[in-house]
Amino acid sequence: MGSVGTYLPLIAMVLVQLALAGANVLAKLTMAAGMSPYVLLTYRNLIAAIFLAPFAFFFERKTWASISKKTLQSIFLCSIVGATMHQVFYFVGLKYSSATVASALNNTLPAVTFLLAAALNMEPVVGVAGRAKMAGTVLCVVGSMVMTFYTGPVIRTMDSPISWLYVQRTMATEAAADAGGQAAILGAVLVIASTGTLAVWFIIQKKMSKSFASPFTSTALIALMASVQCAIIGVAAEPRLSSWALGLDIRLIGSLYVGLVASGIVITVMSWCIQVRGPVYVSMFSPIMLIAVAIMGWGILDEKTRRKRNWIPTYSCGVVHGALGKGEGPRCHSH
């Protein structure tokens, strides 16, 4: 693989994490403004499917003839696990926690992905590389748990120059509504569950890419199927038509961003990176999102940053996996 092929997946995944950080903050604000996560996810997947359809047609229509029944079954499974289940768990969890905490818990993704890949003989667990990854897995889980359940002192920072009054009122209203109860614990459990479903999608996507390497088409079909699945859940949870109304406000902006960027562009790029570098390589970049969300959360949502003992071990997971990126570790080896 040439220099361009070596660094392109790396650059792509860094940009993916920055885009997902924006999606986290914007989705949190959109749901705080009163939009149901199920409605938001329905629009997200529908917009993504519409956005990707022309790209699939112009660039990959010649591959459509190779779509087999097995491929469709894999795509349907990906839509259930990697789209609907993952997104529902994550967005509902995000609603009941902060964007920073949700991103921290998302750092369990490399650990879960590595364990799944190792169980399926897709990643080595012996030798120096295997021990390093196991150490990274432990640090990853411990750091994420500390980030969630350890409350350190607030770090004094200057007031954000872009913290809007609308955002302050919206977030204050949601904080008052969620005060007390077990909302934070529920949010944490759901976010952790979402990482498990995403890790399963990584594995399925890698296997499917061997027989059908068309990321635009597969992502468009996954999004289309997920939009129907989310719509069924959404109608059951939010039967009122007013809950589905979109205006020229944050609900429309949030729906467009998570649809076009978080699903349309990001999932396509991730599918390509899984295809060329493997599932563990893709999962190892999640710590970048934590740092980006912490900054965006402070700047836009006025979230308070606390001194947590886990900042170093949480990010260490990404460092350990990244150090192995030049070798065969991150790649997917199927036996």
Side-chain angles (χ1 to χ4, degrees), residues 5 8 10 16 38 44 94 101 112 147 153 155 247 249 309 316 321:
L8 189 57
L10 186 149
V16 159
Y38 310 110
R44 168 182 178 167
L94 177 63
V101 168
V112 176
M147 183 70 178
I155 298 176
D249 53 18
R309 296 172 183 166
S316 294
H321 282 77

Side-chain angles (χ1 to χ4, degrees), residues 117-142:
L120 295 172
N121 293 324
M122 298 172 71
E123 284 291 329
V125 293
V126 296
V128 176
R131 288 194 293 271
K133 289 182 179 181
M134 290 301 295
T137 297
V138 173
L139 287 174
C140 176
V141 174
V142 171

Side-chain angles (χ1 to χ4, degrees), residues 41-247:
L41 290 176
T42 301
Y43 285 132
R44 168 182 178 167
N45 288 290
L46 182 60
I47 291 170
I50 295 172
F51 170 72
L52 290 171
F55 292 95
F57 177 78
F58 286 111
F59 295 113
E60 298 175 349
R61 65 179 182 273
K62 292 183 179 179
T63 67
W64 291 358
S66 63
I67 299 178
S68 63
K69 181 179 179 180
K70 183 178 180 181
T71 299
L72 285 176
Q73 290 174 342
S74 296
I75 290 175
F76 180 69
L77 187 58
C78 284
S79 72
I80 293 177
V81 178
T84 301
M85 290 180 65
H86 164 66
Q87 292 172 12
V88 168
F89 287 158
Y90 190 83
F91 271 53
V92 176
L94 177 63
K95 178 177 174 61
Y96 292 117
S97 61
S98 71
T100 304
V101 168
S103 299
L105 286 171
N106 197 53
N107 280 309
T108 57
L109 178 60
V112 176
T113 305
F114 171 68
L115 292 175
L116 277 175
L120 295 172
N121 293 324
M122 298 172 71
E123 284 291 329
V125 293
V126 296
V128 176
R131 288 194 293 271
K133 289 182 179 181
M134 290 301 295
T137 297
V138 173
L139 287 174
C140 176
V141 174
V142 171
S144 297
M145 294 302 101
V146 173
M147 183 70 178
T148 305
F149 298 109
Y150 170 72
T151 303
V154 175
I155 298 176
R156 293 183 179 180
T157 58
M158 65 178 184
D159 293 334
S160 169
I162 56 173
S163 186
W164 304 317
L165 182 60
Y166 166 76
V167 175
Q168 292 176 345
R169 283 197 300 245
T170 301
M171 297 307 296
T173 301
E174 190 206 37
D178 290 341
Q182 305 298 317
I185 296 177
L186 174 61
V189 171
L190 289 173
V191 172
I192 293 173
S194 76
T195 63
T197 57
L198 188 60
V200 172
W201 172 67
F202 284 171
I203 302 298
I204 299 173
Q205 182 69 35
K206 177 60 185 180
K207 291 182 176 293
M208 183 179 68
S209 67
K210 294 179 180 179
S211 59
F212 187 69
S214 301
F216 287 121
T217 301
S218 61
T219 307
L221 289 174
I222 288 172
L224 180 61
M225 293 176 183
S227 68
V228 176
Q229 295 160 11
C230 289
I232 295 172
I233 299 172
V235 169
E238 301 289 344
R240 296 174 301 165
L241 287 177
S242 59
S243 300
W244 296 79
L246 292 176

